[in-house]
Amino acid sequence: HTFKIVISRKTASSTTPGWEALGFVMPNRQDFPKETYLPEYLKSIDWIEAHSGFDFFSDLSDAEETALESLTPWVIWPTSKD
């Protein structure tokens, strides 16, 4: 499998300051379908860290890091196909 983490600072108009992040874990294979529904591969940063052994965003304050990494990605990106 391969993973990608996308992080973005929330906009000034956001109701809560800080960061948002989405993590994806996908099979690493050549025949991966081009028409893929990406939300099916969403994972929390905590999940990716636990399975990869990496510690991402360690330069953030502990409070910011904990909030960001434990965030359920479906809050940012609802997964409805409709």
Side-chain angles (χ1 to χ4, degrees), residues 13-65:
S13 63
S14 179
T15 56
T16 57
W19 299 90
E20 294 179 316
L22 293 173
F24 298 90
V25 177
M26 304 173 87
N28 188 15
R29 53 181 229 227
Q30 290 184 348
D31 64 340
F32 197 76
K34 293 185 190 298
E35 299 296 323
T36 299
Y37 185 64
L38 290 177
E40 292 177 8
Y41 300 97
L42 284 171
K43 297 288 184 186
S44 72
I45 309 305
D46 278 340
W47 190 97
I48 296 172
E49 286 182 333
H51 289 82
S52 70
F54 292 111
D55 180 18
F56 301 102
F57 313 123
S58 58
D59 288 345
L60 295 176
S61 71
D62 288 341
E64 284 181 310
E65 185 179 7

